[in-house]
Amino acid sequence: SQQGEEDPQALSIQEGENATMNCSYKTSINNLQWYRQNSGRGLVHLILIRSNEREKHSGRLRVTLDTSKKSSSLLITASRAADTASYFCATDAGTGGFKTIFGAGTRLFVKA
Amino acid sequence: NAGVTQTPKFRVLKTGQSMTLLCAQDMNHEYMYWYRQDPGMGLRLIHYSVGEGTTAKGEVPDGYNVSRLKKQNFLLGLESAAPSQTSVYFCASSSPTAITDTQYFGPGTRLTVL
């Protein structure tokens, strides 16, 4: 059973628009991470937000966490064609990667 | 630094054949993982290791074996491949802290079992 579930499954936008992806999870977590996967490649870590944080920024990325709703969102501002990829949320119920559970991902397509 | 590398990149097997996937990391990470990724399923943990000489089962371990004889290497074996094992396999490594455990992934191995 998957802890994190992303929404939407797929998203297509124009270059310059903002892209928002959501992640819902079921049990209490220590932190939540977002990863990116380009086609045919491995996952790359983007950003981590701890359970006691509500918002975090990194460049054009903004992540929010609402532990009362057990949900997180990833916002990519001013999207570029190079942002085309799949984005996964990963929840950690404890320290140790074997406790990390990945969602099924959101496929983002940014049209130039 | 090469990071996490995987060999081979592609492989086609016939049902019943065996093979070993090799993962190597040069970041001196304690933890290593093997995942499989299937369409619409996200990543599922097959086996993992928290240190040299130790391994443990993940979510979907059946049909696979692993070994971690050296800290930098983590091998995934398929003794008798089945079509259900057609997938993309990713290795990852990490060095957990009290706060987080960011994983670093290899480029993947695409395996087809006929």
Side-chain angles (χ1 to χ4, degrees):
Chain A
S1 61
Q2 287 179 288
Q3 164 82 311
E5 295 187 3
E6 289 90 342
D7 169 60
Q9 290 186 336
L11 180 61
S12 181
I13 59 174
Q14 291 290 140
E15 204 167 30
E17 294 180 339
N18 295 341
T20 300
M21 288 157 271
N22 302 298
C23 171
S24 60
Y25 57 92
K26 297 174 183 174
T27 62
S28 297
I29 60 172
N30 282 357
N31 60 65
L32 185 146
Q33 303 179 68
W34 285 90
Y35 286 80
R36 166 190 168 131
Q37 182 182 33
N38 286 67
S39 181
R41 301 287 188 90
L43 277 69
V44 175
H45 181 258
L46 292 176
I47 194 168
L48 174 146
I49 187 166
R50 301 179 200 177
S51 60
N52 62 353
E53 297 176 312
R54 291 296 166 258
E55 187 171 314
K56 202 162 183 180
H57 296 254
S58 177
R60 293 184 295 112
L61 305 180
R62 173 178 166 248
V63 171
T64 62
L65 179 64
D66 187 336
T67 53
S68 66
K69 294 181 179 179
K70 292 186 170 57
S71 67
S72 173
S73 67
L74 171 67
L75 168 68
I76 303 175
T77 60
S79 63
R80 305 165 182 167
D83 293 329
T84 294
S86 291
Y87 293 83
F88 295 85
C89 70
T91 52
D92 281 331
T95 302
F98 48 89
K99 297 187 179 68
T100 301
I101 301 176
F102 290 85
T106 291
R107 288 186 299 151
L108 173 65
F109 181 65
V110 182
K111 293 177 280 188
Chain B
N1 287 351
V4 180
T5 58
Q6 292 182 233
T7 52
K9 289 185 169 56
F10 302 94
R11 186 72 186 269
V12 178
L13 291 178
K14 294 181 180 179
T15 297
Q17 286 185 318
S18 64
M19 77 163 295
T20 300
L21 283 67
L22 172 63
C23 175
Q25 53 96 3
D26 61 3
M27 296 173 283
N28 201 34
H29 286 169
E30 287 294 330
Y31 288 22
M32 296 187 75
Y33 318 86
W34 275 108
Y35 292 92
R36 60 177 289 172
Q37 184 178 36
D38 301 294
M41 297 290 289
L43 291 172
R44 291 185 291 170
L45 184 63
I46 304 171
H47 285 281
Y48 64 94
S49 168
V50 299
E52 181 178 322
T54 70
T55 63
K57 296 179 180 179
E59 181 186 355
V60 289
D62 293 343
Y64 306 95
N65 56 74
V66 288
S67 65
R68 183 113 181 258
L69 299 179
K70 293 182 179 180
K71 187 177 183 178
Q72 63 268 35
N73 296 338
F74 196 29
L75 278 64
L76 177 71
L78 287 72
E79 290 186 348
S80 180
S84 61
Q85 293 177 304
T86 293
S87 187
V88 182
Y89 292 86
F90 288 99
C91 176
S93 70
S94 71
S95 189
T97 68
I99 298 169
T100 183
D101 187 23
T102 296
Q103 296 182 42
Y104 296 82
F105 284 82
T109 294
R110 187 173 296 274
L111 175 66
T112 301
V113 183
L114 303 176

